[in-house]
Amino acid sequence: MLKRNQKNPILTRSDIPNVAPNLIDVSSVFNPGAVKFNNKYILLLRVQNRGRETFIVKAESPNGVDFKVDNKIVDFKGMEKIREKIYHIYDARITKIDNIHYIMFAMDMDAGCQLGLAKTTDFEEFQFLGIVSEGDIRNGVLFPEKVNGKYLRFDRPNKVQLEEGPSSGNTICLSESDDLLKWKIVKQVMGGRFHYWDENIGSGPSPVKTREGWLHIYHGIALHFASSNIYQAGVALHDLKDPSIVLFRGKYNILEPRELFELAGQVPNVVFPSGMVVENYDEEGYALPDSKVLVYYGGADTAVGLATTTIKELIEDSKQ
Ligand code: BMA
């Protein structure tokens, strides 16, 4: 199991400064993207106001635990050119590819949920690159490098309607692209396990390259309690050369709602892993087995939690 930080929840609504006119006395902060950049930990937070609109706001920390939240909303330059209405953008995942940081996020639009892509080189200016999906889809996470000459991502088509809830999905797919903009699904990779902890599933943070395979934290939803669906985190290991092959997939979750801020909130019973920082890589870019891993997650769609582990432990968890 992941180990929770003692300061959890590390961010709550009271840490969000007022930013007129959209963020005044906000409702919640959750599901952050995370990265270590220039020796600072950066989160791209999902902040929700009392109109139930969500915005992305940056936070920075010297130690990965104590964060200072910006007093401005991230402006994805170029997004204003999209003609269709964008209701919300949320659940940013950050991936560094060739010294550029890409941010993939969900966008609620009339056509359903789409994936948007933006890039930054300094976490000050963000450039919107476009809508990079077709159909209703969520939880897009980029791989940090090309595999067999293609950019890859895991994504999750929304094909399941939750009872009295949003659309969800029970299949994680592998998609490929030549330019990061046009994507096509190449294979179904993982399905939900009916009756168990991960009946519906979606990727968490971006996959991490280890000597044993691509390490992939995902969320699983147990549906058998109808309105109180339980969101948990779990781990799988994928083949390095063909990530559509699942080498191992943990039978048990590695984090489940137990603390009050995970059990109670605007959506109860939710831990939603969305950001991950791996401290140490070798010179060829593989995460070191002893490296500390920080996993940032949303608690009950209301606050942000931090839990830690190591690469070695995550790999072991995938084999249990
Ligand atoms: C999912 C997404 C997440 C959210 C979770 C729990 O479908 O919308 O952003 O945290 O539900 O409400």
Side-chain angles (χ1 to χ4, degrees):
M1 291 272 304
L2 303 183
K3 284 166 218 63
R4 288 176 179 79
N5 189 277
Q6 285 177 346
K7 289 195 176 167
N8 271 352
I10 59 160
L11 283 166
T12 67
R13 50 174 300 285
S14 56
D15 297 304
I16 310 300
N18 284 341
V19 185
N22 290 308
L23 304 181
I24 304 289
D25 187 24
V26 300
S27 293
S28 50
V29 50
F30 52 111
N31 300 4
V35 71
K36 196 167 175 185
F37 176 71
N38 287 349
N39 277 323
K40 273 185 275 183
Y41 298 78
I42 292 182
L43 299 181
L44 293 180
L45 305 164
R46 171 179 180 178
V47 177
Q48 187 173 56
N49 69 17
R50 287 174 291 114
R52 297 277 173 261
E53 297 171 291
T54 64
F55 299 88
I56 303 292
V57 179
K58 185 178 87 171
E60 265 187 32
S61 165
N63 60 9
V65 181
D66 305 297
F67 281 89
K68 186 169 182 313
V69 182
D70 261 16
N71 57 4
K72 59 176 193 267
I73 293 168
V74 170
D75 174 22
F76 292 106
K77 291 211 168 57
M79 197 182 269
E80 68 284 353
K81 294 197 186 109
I82 300 289
R83 295 236 195 89
E84 301 91 44
K85 172 90 179 140
I86 302 168
Y87 294 95
H88 303 283
I89 64 171
Y90 56 99
D91 296 2
R93 268 63 164 222
I94 307 172
T95 314
K96 183 181 174 193
I97 309 176
D98 298 334
N99 281 326
I100 295 178
H101 284 88
Y102 291 90
I103 300 127
M104 196 167 278
F105 42 81
M107 303 167 79
D108 279 349
M109 301 177 67
D110 284 324
C113 184
Q114 316 251 42
L115 294 172
L117 183 67
K119 70 174 182 180
T120 184
T121 50
D122 55 9
F123 284 90
E124 299 296 333
E125 303 273 319
F126 297 83
Q127 188 191 343
F128 183 66
L129 300 173
I131 296 176
V132 293
S133 61
E134 282 162 27
D136 196 0
I137 192 161
R138 224 185 348 253
N139 301 308
V141 297
L142 293 170
F143 281 64
E145 60 187 60
K146 283 184 172 176
V147 179
N148 304 322
K150 300 277 187 191
Y151 293 108
L152 296 182
R153 82 174 179 212
F154 285 140
D155 45 42
R156 204 286 311 279
N158 297 328
K159 292 201 170 136
V160 178
Q161 184 60 43
L162 292 181
E163 203 175 317
E164 294 177 16
S167 59
S168 180
N170 57 14
T171 311
I172 293 176
C173 298
L174 183 71
S175 293
E176 64 176 34
S177 172
D178 290 318
D179 58 5
L180 290 168
L181 300 175
K182 287 203 175 53
W183 290 86
K184 83 166 194 282
I185 289 182
V186 283
K187 255 179 203 164
Q188 298 195 350
V189 173
M190 278 166 65
R193 292 184 287 202
F194 192 43
H195 294 302
Y196 296 106
W197 75 268
D198 49 355
E199 300 187 275
N200 278 352
I201 52 174
S203 290
S206 289
V208 168
K209 194 169 78 164
T210 75
R211 294 273 168 196
E212 291 200 45
W214 289 102
L215 196 57
H216 175 207
I217 289 186
Y218 66 101
H219 68 264
I221 313 168
L223 300 170
H224 40 274
F225 299 109
S227 62
S228 54
N229 295 320
I230 308 169
Y231 282 70
Q232 307 128 84
V235 62
L237 198 66
H238 300 250
D239 188 80
L240 281 175
K241 294 207 179 82
D242 179 359
S244 73
I245 299 170
V246 179
L247 302 174
F248 298 100
R249 176 174 174 184
K251 181 177 170 192
Y252 303 102
N253 71 41
I254 56 169
L255 191 72
E256 63 182 13
R258 288 187 184 176
E259 298 294 320
L260 197 55
F261 79 98
E262 302 161 349
L263 295 164
Q266 66 170 338
V267 183
N269 284 328
V270 175
V271 297
F272 192 90
S274 46
M276 175 161 159
V277 172
V278 175
E279 294 286 1
N280 302 115
Y281 290 86
D282 68 18
E283 52 301 330
E284 286 172 315
Y286 294 89
L288 289 171
D290 288 329
S291 172
K292 186 175 173 191
V293 178
L294 298 91
V295 178
Y296 296 92
Y297 62 97
D301 283 9
T302 300
V304 174
L306 165 64
T308 53
T309 182
T310 62
I311 291 290
K312 197 167 50 194
E313 283 172 275
L314 283 172
I315 291 174
E316 279 164 20
D317 287 338
S318 78
K319 297 178 181 175
Q320 278 177 9

